[in-house]
Amino acid sequence: GAVVSQHPSRVICKSGTSVKIECRSLDFQATTMFWYRQFPKQSLMLMATSNEGSKATYEQGVEKDKFLINHASLTLSTLTVTSAHPEDSSFYICSARVLVAGGSYNEQFFGPGTRLTVL
Amino acid sequence: GNSVTQMEGPVTLSEEAFLTINCTYTATGYPSLFWYVQYPGEGLQLLLKATKADDKGSNKGFEATYRKETTSFHLEKGSVQVSDSAVYFCAPDPTQGGSEKLVFGKGTKLTVNP
């Protein structure tokens, strides 16, 4: 299957700094990528839908000025957590959607996740 | 849009026990159905899928049959292993329900003890 990578896998930063997380589709092009956040022992919460060349669509309750998303190419989307605080500590996962050959359904491929810890 | 109701966990089993995780869905039409698995500290992986009614998806000893009459897609495995300990998520293809967002339920955490 298609491969999605995330970088970094783990990051520790000081409160007030900004952190950028990259999500890449390695062997396919993805017009649509998604960013999720997962708290311990909880499900994935969809944060935003990222479309190449246009502004991201944020879910209700997600601060777009806090979580900046850029989808500059068909293989790269970035999430920047600005002025991070300890409550932003979480596991962030991206995914990329692909229309399966034949067009019968869409499949999403997930990155391995990024563990963010804000001190 | 589509939605799912998934059996809440956690589920704790001994090695070689039989596993069933229930999943029922509501949808417009007959969307493709997926089971995803998340191993500790990792992202999600597609475990199996079924693209039409009566299809059976299978992978790594897991099976699920797309039952349109009961709108269900229950996950089963005849003999679980410790390595199957993970969180399992059921989800329908959102695009076939008029949405592009894959939204997950709470998932079912499975712990298999030796």
Side-chain angles (χ1 to χ4, degrees):
Chain A
V3 178
V4 175
S5 70
Q6 274 184 248
H7 178 79
S9 58
R10 291 178 178 270
V11 57
I12 301 173
C13 69
K14 293 182 179 181
S15 186
T17 62
S18 294
V19 175
K20 179 185 285 188
I21 302 170
E22 293 186 348
C23 176
R24 293 181 184 274
S25 56
L26 297 187
D27 50 0
F28 66 100
Q29 294 182 331
T31 54
T32 304
M33 290 185 173
F34 302 88
W35 286 96
Y36 294 84
R37 179 175 180 177
Q38 187 176 36
F39 294 98
K41 299 182 180 181
Q42 294 191 22
S43 185
L44 282 76
M45 181 191 78
L46 179 64
M47 298 175 67
T49 302
S50 171
N51 291 297
E52 186 267 339
S54 63
K55 291 183 178 180
T57 302
Y58 290 82
E59 295 300 300
Q60 191 172 7
V62 178
E63 300 176 60
K64 59 183 178 183
D65 295 330
K66 172 77 170 176
F67 299 99
L68 300 179
I69 292 172
N70 186 302
H71 195 153
S73 77
L74 288 171
T75 59
L76 174 64
S77 176
T78 60
L79 168 67
T80 301
V81 183
T82 62
S83 186
H85 291 283
E87 57 266 28
D88 299 324
S89 298
S90 194
F91 193 52
Y92 293 88
I93 301 175
C94 72
S95 71
R97 190 180 71 197
V98 175
L99 183 62
V100 172
S104 60
Y105 65 93
N106 286 274
E107 189 166 332
Q108 280 192 220
F109 298 93
F110 289 81
T114 297
R115 174 73 61 191
L116 170 63
T117 302
V118 185
L119 302 177
Chain B
N2 301 330
S3 66
V4 292
T5 301
Q6 189 175 336
M7 183 173 101
E8 288 196 26
V11 174
T12 302
L13 297 173
S14 297
E15 206 165 23
E16 299 184 2
F18 183 84
L19 169 71
T20 299
I21 300 177
N22 291 337
C23 171
T24 56
Y25 66 91
T26 57
T28 302
Y30 303 106
S32 298
L33 300 173
F34 307 108
W35 274 101
Y36 290 87
V37 59
Q38 184 181 28
Y39 297 104
E42 299 183 13
L44 272 70
Q45 302 174 28
L46 180 64
L47 178 61
L48 55 82
K49 63 181 180 288
T51 59
K52 61 182 186 295
D54 299 326
D55 265 3
K56 177 186 284 187
S58 61
N59 186 26
K60 299 181 180 180
F62 291 89
E63 293 183 339
T65 301
Y66 190 151
R67 304 276 187 204
K68 68 176 183 179
E69 59 277 4
T70 54
T71 62
S72 64
F73 193 53
H74 304 324
L75 182 68
E76 297 182 335
K77 185 171 185 179
S79 177
V80 293
Q81 306 300 312
V82 173
S83 57
D84 294 327
S85 297
V87 182
Y88 294 82
F89 297 92
C90 177
D93 181 2
T95 55
Q96 293 170 306
S99 170
E100 63 174 355
K101 300 183 295 187
L102 184 60
V103 179
F104 294 93
K106 293 187 175 182
T108 302
K109 182 177 181 180
L110 170 66
T111 301
V112 181
N113 295 318

